[in-house]
Amino acid sequence: MVSEEQKRVLDPERDAAALKALTHPLRIRLLGMLRQDGPATASELAVRTGESSASTSYHLRVLAKYAFVTEAEHRDGRERRWQAVHSVTSWSRKAMETTAGSRAYVSLSRRVQIEHLEASLARHEADIADGRLGQEWVEPSGINDLMPRLTPESLTELWEVLDRKLEELTTRDAQDPRAAQVVLLTAGLPLAPRDQGVEEDTSAPAGTDAEDAS
């Protein structure tokens, strides 16, 4: 589980400039890559993102200015390597609703997380198909889109239970050589009832378990 030292907690008033710096899709993507895959150079990140090395280098310097990334140990003296300072960026959802800038960042970060899920799904499927992951990972892997009815208190409790259980399991598996990095993207997004006469959106499945869907 991520320790408090590994978290960067953002405050919309105190960290307004840092939040503004993060309101850029490529910067969020670069930060995510450094967190997931470890230190890299601007050139390496340029290849992976399809951007120019000048662009990735510029955006990495902006991230460094606001202490999201820092220089890593260099393999040689030819090119600077970067690493993430923290494993997680977090915030108070209620506090982030207070300014337009912080709301914009939360909205953008959520959409980048969805893109990350899509990329992770493609990578997972390729890793299974090509034998980089063993068949023992097939059964426990999956995506759910359940839609339970919960009160605000119950949804809060669900997050707390998930956090506690995740901490327990990651601590238990910390030294197990079979453990692998798992992308665990969770969402709890209450929806208001639709007004009468509004056409129902059938573009997304509701209440299905991806493991059992056919």
Side-chain angles (χ1 to χ4, degrees), residues 26 42-43 46 51-61 79:
L26 181 57
S43 295
E51 299 284 335
S52 69
S53 57
S55 176
T56 55
S57 180
Y58 167 75
H59 289 297
L60 286 165
R61 290 196 301 272
E79 189 171 5

Side-chain angles (χ1 to χ4, degrees), residues 69-204:
V69 305
T70 189
E71 287 192 48
E73 181 179 350
H74 299 305
R75 292 175 180 169
D76 53 49
R78 289 180 295 178
E79 189 171 5
R80 179 182 298 176
R81 292 178 63 76
W82 298 94
Q83 65 183 9
V85 176
H86 306 92
S87 300
V88 171
T89 303
S90 64
W91 54 79
S92 161
R93 297 183 184 93
K94 187 174 182 179
M96 294 291 270
E97 279 292 308
T98 59
T99 70
S102 58
R103 289 195 299 271
Y105 168 69
V106 171
S107 180
L108 174 63
S109 68
R110 286 172 172 172
R111 281 152 182 77
V112 171
Q113 286 175 318
I114 293 172
E115 293 172 1
H116 179 227
L117 177 61
E118 292 178 344
S120 298
L121 174 59
R123 178 172 168 179
H124 164 76
E125 291 174 338
D127 287 343
I128 291 289
D130 296 339
R132 288 183 292 271
L133 284 175
Q135 288 297 302
E136 69 273 15
W137 286 106
V138 172
E139 189 64 30
S141 303
I143 300 174
N144 294 333
D145 62 343
L146 305 177
M147 296 187 66
R149 289 181 60 83
L150 299 172
T151 64
E153 295 78 15
S154 293
L155 182 55
T156 298
E157 182 180 344
L158 179 60
W159 285 116
E160 293 171 349
V161 170
L162 178 62
D163 286 344
R164 288 197 301 269
K165 191 62 179 180
L166 185 58
E167 181 173 7
E168 174 192 330
L169 296 176
T170 53
T171 300
R172 186 184 73 185
D173 293 349
Q175 304 304 319
D176 193 324
R178 300 173 304 140
Q181 185 179 63
V182 175
V183 174
L184 181 66
L185 195 151
T186 55
L189 306 173
L191 304 175
R194 287 188 180 275
D195 293 334
Q196 295 234 343
V198 175
E199 183 178 351
E200 184 177 358
D201 181 4
T202 59
S203 61

Side-chain angles (χ1 to χ4, degrees), residues 6-67:
Q6 294 174 303
K7 291 182 181 180
R8 172 75 181 272
V9 181
L10 297 175
D11 178 271
E13 294 185 4
R14 185 184 65 243
D15 301 311
L19 278 168
K20 185 177 181 181
L22 270 187
T23 309
H24 190 290
L26 181 57
R27 289 175 199 157
I28 295 180
R29 190 177 177 192
L30 293 173
L31 182 57
M33 287 180 170
L34 293 176
R35 287 175 172 173
Q36 179 169 320
D37 300 318
T41 66
S43 295
E44 291 168 343
L45 293 169
V47 171
R48 290 162 57 189
T49 59
E51 299 284 335
S52 69
S53 57
S55 176
T56 55
S57 180
Y58 167 75
H59 289 297
L60 286 165
R61 290 196 301 272
V62 174
L63 290 170
K65 178 180 178 181
Y66 294 102

